[in-house]
Amino acid sequence: MRKVIRLLVLAIIATTCILSACTKDNFDMDRLSGEVVYDGSYAIPLVYSDLSLLEVMGLLNDTVELRENDGGFLSLFYNAEVETKMVQDLLNLGDVSYSKTISIADFASRGTRDNSLSYNGEEKISFTLKNEGVTTDEAEIDSLVLNSGIFEYELSSTFGQNLSVSVEFPSITKNGQPLRDSFTLNAQNTTASRTVTIEGYNIDFTTTSKHFNEIPIKYNVSLSYGGAIPPASGALSVNVRIGNFKYKSIHGYFGKNSLLLQSDTIEVKLFREKQKYHIDDFYFNDPKIKVHYWNSYGVPSRFYFQQFDTYMKKLDVVYDVATQNPDFPMSALNPYDVAHSSTPGVYAEDSIFIDRNNSNLDDIVPNRPTWFHFCAVAETNPDNPSHERNFISEDSKLKARVSVEFPLWGRVGQFYYNDTVDVDVSSIVGNNYVERMAVLINTDNGLPVDSRIQFYVADENYNVMDSLVKDTDAGFLTAAPLDANGRVASRISTQTKIELTREQVDKMSDCKHILIRIFANTEGAYEAKTMKIYPEYGIKFNVGLEVDFDVEGNINSGVNKKVVATGK
């Protein structure tokens, strides 16, 4: 008994749609007998993907964005973010120490009273601003709101008498009360030490005659002795160490400081060697580098790139973008004044663009830059001769996002794309005789791109046995037409059936892989015509095989039970 079976094998490749199969109600392959003749079609999707072309090419990852730009069309954005260290790791008040020795002569100069001597005084403690441990000599600190700090006291007496010691810092206050501490020493306890952690205090550095960087310290010492005659000798040593300041905010003039931002590298995958694709000729209209800043320093700041290099693959050279162009913005010779915060805890934002109008990016991009490496520096108070007062807060930071933008506006010529699909046709056909085989190509093109497609039949070792498209017109995909504004006016749908020769059918029956080769260029690329890619652009694309074969005997011996049958 002869049975005619038509098999539709769908290899859906890089498509945004799936061709679904219908199932004839109550059709059961196991219930077919040798007396049944069935003429039907079987839809068997072997490969399916709804990835975009850029994803297929491996261009999109966590550091790359494909999104609509300010012009309404699409751009590729390669991003990196850098920032300064935490401000308290950069700018802080250095630890200071104060020492005072009071001898019996100092007491005697103040006179005696009721078997006791007293001594009091007021002195100054100076502070300096440190930038990563290096003193900023020109800084002038006015005030500080303290989250926490440590005061360490060490006292030692050789009088052998009772001593009462009081230490006060009148300009370090909390709720209107100054910071003070007291100690008692005697013949048995000649030393005293104490570490005090303070929180929530305000420090005013303007109360001395200098009006910045200083605080007063007051002390009062009372020496009591048992006899009528005071001790003939002895001394009191007082040592205070102040440090480990963690501040909420500081006000004053901070001087000129260099704040080094982290360095980073932007990998540009578009121009790297890829097994799947290759671009011979391209042009991007108006590539850009955008630097966007967030600055929560309440200090005038200036930003520049200490280093901005790129590797140009075509020339095999590392090129310093910043120094090779004397007009390059944000170089050390042309630093950029960044907007700064006017309110503690609030970021000021600012942006600057590097494009063909202020740099030589148009010369760099055709030479296929595969990475950009940069290291940036911010300077505070770059030009402030009047010592204008500023502020920094506990979370002050300067952050920058560097985005390399390639607008999908331009032209591409000689774009080659390669892919491989695993298709085991023999496992579906089995030992049945294939009477006829055809290649089906269905496209719905919404891209202004002309392309040619070729499919190669390969065995299990990827050896090419044949090509499927013999007629060049059959493999041609026409670009979608553009309207007067350069936007796709309508989509073009095509359905192509390519009948295979007997020799091709025999080779296809042994096919284990289909190799896909696509050659494409944008419309008018060789006439220097440019185009823009808009968000609604896309392409639907599926490829398959339609197979007729004769079955002699039991149909179950030749057809995989996983196929889905549809009646004709």
Side-chain angles (χ1 to χ4, degrees):
M1 178 65 65
R2 177 177 176 273
K3 305 176 181 68
V4 180
I5 303 295
R6 175 162 293 169
L7 181 70
L8 182 61
V9 181
L10 298 175
I12 303 177
I13 306 160
T15 178
T16 59
C17 70
I18 181 168
L19 186 63
S20 59
C22 299
T23 304
K24 185 175 181 180
D25 293 340
N26 302 319
F27 189 87
D28 188 346
M29 296 291 293
D30 292 330
R31 296 167 65 181
L32 292 176
S33 69
E35 300 300 320
V36 177
V37 176
Y38 181 74
D39 184 2
S41 297
Y42 301 89
I44 308 167
L46 300 178
V47 179
Y48 170 71
S49 172
D50 61 359
L51 298 177
S52 69
L53 180 60
L54 291 170
E55 288 172 316
V56 172
M57 293 163 63
L59 291 178
L60 300 184
N61 57 31
D62 291 341
T63 62
V64 185
E65 294 180 87
L66 175 65
R67 58 179 169 84
E68 192 172 330
N69 58 33
D70 294 338
F73 56 98
L74 295 176
S75 286
L76 271 175
F77 294 88
Y78 291 85
N79 303 313
E81 290 191 5
V82 293
E83 58 185 34
T84 56
K85 294 180 181 179
M86 295 299 296
V87 65
Q88 311 234 21
D89 295 329
L90 289 171
L91 300 176
N92 213 323
L93 297 186
D95 294 355
V96 297
S97 296
Y98 168 80
S99 296
K100 179 69 175 179
T101 300
I102 304 171
S103 67
I104 192 62
D106 295 322
F107 279 101
S109 66
R110 304 296 173 91
T112 63
R113 182 179 179 183
D114 297 331
N115 297 329
S116 67
L117 298 172
S118 63
Y119 184 88
N120 55 66
E122 179 177 334
E123 297 187 11
K124 301 170 187 176
I125 299 177
S126 296
F127 287 80
T128 56
L129 184 71
K130 301 283 187 178
N131 180 357
E132 294 195 273
V134 179
T135 299
T136 303
D137 293 325
E138 59 180 341
E140 300 173 1
I141 308 303
D142 297 337
S143 64
L144 181 148
V145 179
L146 198 62
N147 279 329
S148 65
I150 292 177
F151 284 66
E152 295 179 348
Y153 301 91
E154 291 186 357
L155 289 77
S156 177
S157 170
T158 59
F159 288 116
Q161 304 290 337
N162 295 330
L163 280 173
S164 296
V165 182
S166 174
V167 180
E168 179 180 309
F169 298 91
S171 64
I172 303 178
T173 60
K174 182 177 182 180
N175 299 325
Q177 298 298 313
L179 176 65
R180 60 169 62 95
D181 222 324
S182 58
F183 305 85
T184 300
L185 294 87
N186 53 43
Q188 290 74 37
N189 298 298
T190 59
T191 61
S193 62
R194 186 178 301 162
T195 299
V196 179
T197 300
I198 65 171
E199 298 177 351
Y201 277 78
N202 295 320
I203 305 179
D204 186 350
F205 294 92
T206 66
T207 60
T208 68
S209 58
K210 189 176 181 179
H211 299 300
F212 57 84
N213 289 4
E214 289 183 343
I215 61 171
I217 178 174
K218 291 183 177 182
Y219 46 86
N220 187 284
V221 183
S222 177
L223 171 62
S224 299
Y225 51 91
I229 303 175
S233 62
L236 170 66
S237 174
V238 179
N239 295 287
V240 183
R241 189 188 75 84
I242 306 171
N244 289 11
F245 277 176
K246 301 297 181 184
Y247 52 82
K248 186 175 182 64
S249 63
I250 306 179
H251 287 74
Y253 170 69
F254 302 102
K256 186 175 182 178
N257 295 279
S258 293
L259 310 177
L260 186 67
L261 281 76
Q262 303 158 329
S263 62
D264 206 347
T265 300
I266 296 176
E267 301 281 350
V268 182
K269 286 190 173 184
L270 181 63
F271 301 120
R272 289 189 173 274
E273 285 296 327
K274 290 285 183 180
Q275 186 176 3
K276 282 192 173 184
Y277 73 89
H278 177 73
I279 304 174
D280 273 355
D281 180 42
F282 63 89
Y283 171 73
F284 285 102
N285 193 30
D286 200 19
K288 302 180 183 69
I289 297 175
K290 178 183 179 182
V291 183
H292 189 85
Y293 311 91
W294 294 265
N295 185 12
S296 59
Y297 280 88
V299 186
S301 304
R302 184 169 287 171
F303 180 96
Y304 65 89
F305 287 109
Q306 191 178 60
Q307 180 184 10
F308 201 117
D309 297 334
T310 184
Y311 173 68
M312 295 189 291
K313 180 177 177 56
K314 189 173 182 179
L315 301 179
D316 191 25
V317 296
V318 175
Y319 181 79
D320 189 331
V321 181
T323 61
Q324 295 298 320
N325 184 349
D327 297 324
F328 184 84
M330 297 179 292
S331 67
L333 297 177
N334 296 290
Y336 182 70
D337 290 332
V338 182
H340 61 279
S341 177
S342 59
T343 305
V346 177
Y347 279 99
E349 296 188 41
D350 199 3
S351 296
I352 184 172
F353 285 90
I354 304 168
D355 55 25
R356 61 188 176 192
N357 297 317
N358 58 14
S359 73
N360 56 348
L361 274 182
D362 266 355
D363 298 328
I364 293 172
V365 173
N367 289 307
R368 304 174 184 266
T370 59
W371 52 255
F372 289 90
H373 177 78
F374 58 90
C375 180
V377 174
E379 288 184 350
T380 63
N381 285 311
D383 185 17
N384 190 355
S386 62
H387 289 199
E388 177 186 348
R389 274 19 202 176
N390 321 126
F391 70 86
I392 55 178
S393 55
E394 60 185 328
D395 55 358
S396 286
K397 187 179 289 187
L398 195 151
K399 301 188 296 184
R401 173 186 289 168
V402 180
S403 296
V404 179
E405 178 187 358
F406 295 102
L408 299 188
W409 173 23
R411 60 179 182 269
V412 174
Q414 302 182 55
F415 171 85
Y416 301 91
Y417 178 77
N418 308 307
D419 205 353
T420 302
V421 178
D422 298 331
V423 179
D424 190 356
V425 177
S426 62
S427 68
I428 300 171
V429 175
N431 297 321
N432 299 302
Y433 177 75
V434 176
E435 183 178 80
R436 168 186 164 276
M437 186 178 291
V439 177
L440 306 178
I441 304 174
N442 297 324
T443 62
D444 181 32
N445 187 20
L447 286 172
V449 174
D450 293 321
S451 62
R452 294 188 181 278
I453 306 172
Q454 181 60 273
F455 303 92
Y456 296 95
V457 178
D459 61 19
E460 60 185 4
N461 297 316
Y462 295 91
N463 296 314
V464 174
M465 297 182 291
D466 199 2
S467 60
L468 297 183
V469 181
K470 302 299 184 180
D471 183 353
T472 56
D473 291 337
F476 183 76
L477 182 62
T478 303
L482 302 176
D483 61 19
N485 297 317
R487 203 158 184 162
V488 168
S490 60
R491 303 174 73 93
I492 295 182
S493 297
T494 60
Q495 294 181 342
T496 304
K497 180 183 289 188
I498 304 171
E499 297 288 342
L500 301 185
T501 65
R502 179 75 258 163
E503 181 182 1
Q504 289 177 303
V505 169
D506 293 339
K507 292 176 180 177
M508 177 59 75
S509 298
D510 295 327
C511 173
K512 300 295 183 182
H513 311 283
I514 293 179
L515 310 182
I516 307 158
R517 302 290 184 267
I518 300 176
F519 168 79
N521 54 267
T522 57
E523 185 183 29
Y526 298 109
E527 290 77 42
K529 182 179 179 180
T530 62
M531 49 156 275
K532 298 175 181 178
I533 300 295
Y534 288 90
E536 70 271 17
Y537 285 9
I539 183 171
K540 298 178 181 179
F541 176 25
N542 62 67
V543 178
L545 298 175
E546 186 179 78
V547 181
D548 293 353
F549 56 89
D550 290 341
V551 178
E552 295 292 341
N554 194 325
I555 191 172
N556 293 333
S557 64
V559 181
N560 191 310
K561 293 182 182 180
K562 290 191 290 185
V563 303
V564 179
T566 60
K568 289 186 67 179

